[in-house]
Amino acid sequence: MAISSVEVLKSARLRFPRATVASTLMPTQSLRVYSSHCCSVEYFPSSLRAIFLNSGARTRTSATVREKGEKMEDHPLVDDALSMGTVDDREVVDEPPELQERDFSGTPYVPIYVMLPLGIINMDCELLDLDDLQIQLRTLKSVNVDGVMVDCWWGIVEAHAPQQYNWNGYKKLFQIVRDLKLKLQVVMSFHKCGGNVGDDVHIPLPQWVTEIGQRNPDIFFTDREGRRNPECLTWGIDKERVLRGRTAVEVYFDYMRSFRVEFDEFFENGIISEIEIGLGPCGELRYPSYPANFGWKYPGIGEFQCYDQYLMKSLKKAAEARGHSFWGKGPDNAGSYNSRPHDTRFFCDGGDYDGYYGRFFLNWYSQVLIDHGDRVLALANLAFEDTPIATKLSGIHWWYKTASHAAELTAGFYNPCNRDGYGPVALMLRKHGAALNFTCVELRTLDQHEDFPEALADPEGLVWQVLNAAWDVNIPVASENALPCYDREGYNKILENSKPLTDPDGRHLSAFTYLRLSSVLMETHNFREFERFIKRMHGRIAMLFICLFKSLLCQCMHFIVGSGF
């Protein structure tokens, strides 16, 4: 799957962990009592006695010792009574003890999936690197990964002629996954791969589609300057018979139905657990408002993408129905891809986005997005019958702390500070029984403020809003990381969002998909952290220790009884 939109966030500077943030323990699972010296007592519910850790001993803190004028280095622990004193004319600087992490034992089980590499299937629909892939999949299975996610690329399967499908490589892949007793999340990828951060392969739209686009470029999203974006088809042709006699949604339906028939056995035996429906660029339900190939750079606000003849016709029709035909055009004061909100008259505080015309235009623009999802998901349910379906939304969190939320508006989410733009999307998904897959759950607002203070970003606020919009209408919420994640800090943030401690209803993510399987993930240290993360997502992090303690206790009892004590 093409990398989610927010991956461009740190393309110039990928930061690594600073310090692990402390989290509160789940009170229903274990009780820890802390003394003023951070000694701890942990009571396991099924144990007959408490286990005292560090009891009766003086607490020691990590300290740094250095010669005067010497660069600081780490040394063995030094008694905390030394505090900021000297040892043999050397300065001693205390460092705080490592903070306790939240205990996830006994918490709800959240399945873990891992995205497969983008180019695992080549343009001839052949499975590549078979031996290496099998080794990696066995390794994932050994740490109890639940399954994998794979893109079924429209540009590969229906590459040369309408309704001529080649599924050969995917058949071999699915058989390997089934033999390893893993599950499959499959993405119907109706978009182009290549040009986004993280895209290491190039998979265009089907050749016969691009040929149509050469004759009729209005089948692609278009910006105000007339630049065409061949990343996916404009939603303006959803109901236009411009694809050799078929509409866009008919093409999508035929493709999905072919997949359902071809892989019937994998549906029947439950190997395919979910189908994610691609609804736009990067497989996400959004406009391609910030394309890197048009020069966009983070944190630009992006541009509206409604200037193909089909969407403009829809806009003019809506303006006439409103009685203001002169509103049938896009804003002329909304800046360009790399503008800041305050530099434009449309997005600045008190700007035209909140005026009569602005509200009309943004209502129309966002409704086109919702209507597209509505049409395609209705046909997806028809194609896949009782199989769960999902769709992905991107985490557009830059400029979230401004009044207009400009980057969200250009992407199609009508979510200024005085309006909930995600509630209507969630209601549309509920209509079709579709899950919401959301990105950027590993990102921290504080990190964004330190790295890009000018962006006024708030990923944590956005995640909270979107998750609650979905949960409030009782639809499942899954998630994935937006950027490569190998460190405990990122994993801890995912865990916090996956199983919110303070949620009064005990709500949690239905699944998490890790981006992405790679040689870097398989490195010893990184994979060890990943395995630890899986156990915590499964709610098992302390269960192994409990079982070990019980086993040891039983052995001691047998020894005592057998020895006649």
Side-chain angles (χ1 to χ4, degrees), residues 517-549:
L517 179 61
S518 67
S519 58
V520 179
L521 174 64
M522 291 298 173
E523 292 175 5
T524 302
H525 174 73
N526 292 339
F527 197 73
R528 187 180 298 118
E529 283 293 330
F530 183 59
E531 180 182 9
R532 181 180 187 272
F533 166 69
I534 293 170
K535 290 177 180 177
R536 303 180 86 198
M537 288 290 276
H538 286 172
R540 296 174 177 172
I541 185 61
M543 298 306 291
L544 292 177
F545 297 103
I546 295 173
C547 293
L548 181 61
F549 171 76

Side-chain angles (χ1 to χ4, degrees), residues 301-312:
I301 60 176
E303 290 190 21
F304 293 112
Q305 304 290 314
C306 58
Y307 294 94
D308 61 84
Q309 63 166 310
Y310 303 103
L311 287 181
M312 289 305 296

Side-chain angles (χ1 to χ4, degrees), residues 1 16 19 38 42 132 150 179 186 196 259 270 342 348 412 499 504:
M1 172 167 41
F16 286 90
C38 296
E42 179 163 353
D132 289 343
V150 61
D179 292 343
V186 183
N196 292 299
F259 177 85
H342 51 272
C348 67
K499 307 175 185 183

